[in-house]
Amino acid sequence: MTAPPPLSPTLGALLGVHTGDSLGATLEFTTHSRIKSTYPTGLRDIIGGGAFSWPPGHATDDTDLTRAVLLAYRDREEFRKAGSSQAEEFDVAKCAAECSLKWLEGDWPERKKGSRPIDIGGATLTGLSKYARSRDPKNCGAGPGSAGNGSLMRCIPTALFTRGREGRIKESMAISAVTHNDARCTVSCAVYNEIVASLVSGATPKGAVDVGLEVATSLDCPSVEAAISRGESLSISKIAEEGPGEELPDRTSGYVLQSLSVAIAALLDPRSFEDVLVDVVRIGGDTDTNGAIAGGLLGARDGIEAIPPRWLEKLQFRGEFEELARSILQSQAN
């Protein structure tokens, strides 16, 4: 069996998503100019609030749905330990869909039973509503043409807990397709997860991005290839200071390829986890999701030690994420 990945970048990746989500939640939908006038050097503390009045460190849909996918990998490992020798018999996409449906229907920590999430993307709602009727993870999704970032924001557990590129790509695309089955979304998830897996295994940021580009090429998705190349040319610090402008013309509105480009640029920025993530959020727009997606890459790059303790201590699911990650990795090592 392939050795499990090191613990520090695994925890960094998971909690990087949570951190970026919670930091960005305060400024979701806020323009760059408004952020610059209120926080001239960027928001540097997790303070909650925002459009949905989040408690500090509380998960938005980004982290909640990452948790749903993480729970699916926990359940797969429990299935394997229970005696099955064929882990592929476990449908991880279906399990992730079931966990996501629990989130949608209010069977979730710190939520009133039966209550709906206060924030949910249109494609996610469409896909999960179709799944609730069909219970078929291959027969839902919002359809081609719907290319939001709602599956990219939640996909990272696949990178961390599935060994082997072929399996990761298959699972990344299948889990995305439950809600986001446009090829731009499914391929972006596969690319992102191969970048994360490469980072956790010790690749340089540039080396990991090259792996992602190779995957996009192998899956014949030129638009994702272009998004990666675009990310390589962007300067996060410049955009954070001057505003999106022509470099990001749709102003980080939630388009999956733009979020992927921003995350690639963040990964290749040599500054600290904190400085880069603050600048990703400072760009404005879909700040929580862009923060989550970039935070996952930065956490895989730098490890959990790079995430400021004052941020970690506020995260709603920190303890659970750490416990689940350690448990899955330990089980896989046995």
Side-chain angles (χ1 to χ4, degrees), residues 44 60 107 142-143 145 158 174 191 197 226 229 232:
R44 291 191 170 268
T60 80
D107 184 7
T158 303
V191 163
S229 298
E232 291 180 294

Side-chain angles (χ1 to χ4, degrees), residues 158-214:
T158 303
L160 304 174
F161 304 117
T162 295
R163 307 280 84 80
R165 181 180 296 188
E166 182 179 350
R168 283 192 300 265
I169 290 174
K170 179 180 178 181
E171 291 170 16
S172 296
M173 298 179 76
I175 293 172
S176 173
V178 172
T179 56
H180 294 70
N181 54 348
D182 185 289
R184 289 167 290 180
C185 301
T186 59
V187 174
S188 288
C189 288
V191 163
Y192 181 91
N193 278 336
E194 286 313 298
I195 292 172
V196 171
S198 296
L199 292 167
V200 171
S201 296
T204 65
K206 181 61 168 65
V209 171
D210 287 345
V211 169
L213 187 58
E214 177 186 323

Side-chain angles (χ1 to χ4, degrees), residues 11 32 55 104 135 146 173 199 219 232 238 259 269 273 293 303 312 327:
L11 295 178
H32 172 266
L104 177 65
R135 282 315 205 264
S146 183
M173 298 179 76
L199 292 167
L219 294 173
E232 291 180 294
K238 180 176 182 290
S259 292
D269 189 317
F273 180 101
I293 294 165
L312 286 172
S327 175

Side-chain angles (χ1 to χ4, degrees), residues 275-299:
D275 287 343
V276 179
L277 195 59
V278 165
D279 274 357
V280 168
V281 170
R282 196 152 67 109
I283 294 170
D286 196 11
T287 52
D288 60 332
T289 304
N290 285 331
I293 294 165
L297 293 186
L298 292 168

Side-chain angles (χ1 to χ4, degrees), residues 35-155:
I35 293 171
K36 188 170 184 177
S37 67
T38 308
Y39 303 100
T41 61
L43 176 63
R44 291 191 170 268
D45 290 297
I46 292 175
I47 60 174
F52 298 100
S53 301
W54 300 107
H58 202 279
T60 80
D61 56 332
D62 303 69
T63 301
D64 276 339
L65 289 170
T66 300
R67 179 178 182 264
V69 179
L70 178 60
L71 292 175
Y73 283 96
R74 175 205 63 184
D75 289 353
R76 184 173 75 174
E77 195 56 31
E78 291 180 352
F79 175 84
R80 186 190 69 80
K81 288 195 300 182
S84 171
S85 61
Q86 298 293 325
E88 63 268 22
E89 292 176 359
F90 185 91
D91 189 338
V92 73
K94 182 175 178 62
C95 188
E98 289 289 338
C99 292
S100 299
L101 196 59
K102 288 183 178 181
W103 167 76
L104 177 65
E105 296 176 344
D107 184 7
W108 208 251
E110 300 183 38
R111 286 255 307 278
K112 182 179 179 181
K113 188 80 169 179
S115 65
R116 286 295 181 102
I118 63 173
D119 185 18
I120 182 171
T124 298
L125 179 59
T126 296
L128 291 180
S129 298
K130 288 182 177 180
Y131 177 77
R133 296 189 294 270
S134 71
R135 282 315 205 264
D136 180 2
K138 297 178 181 178
N139 187 30
C140 41
S146 183
N149 55 17
S151 62
L152 188 59
M153 71 189 190
R154 68 176 189 242
C155 71

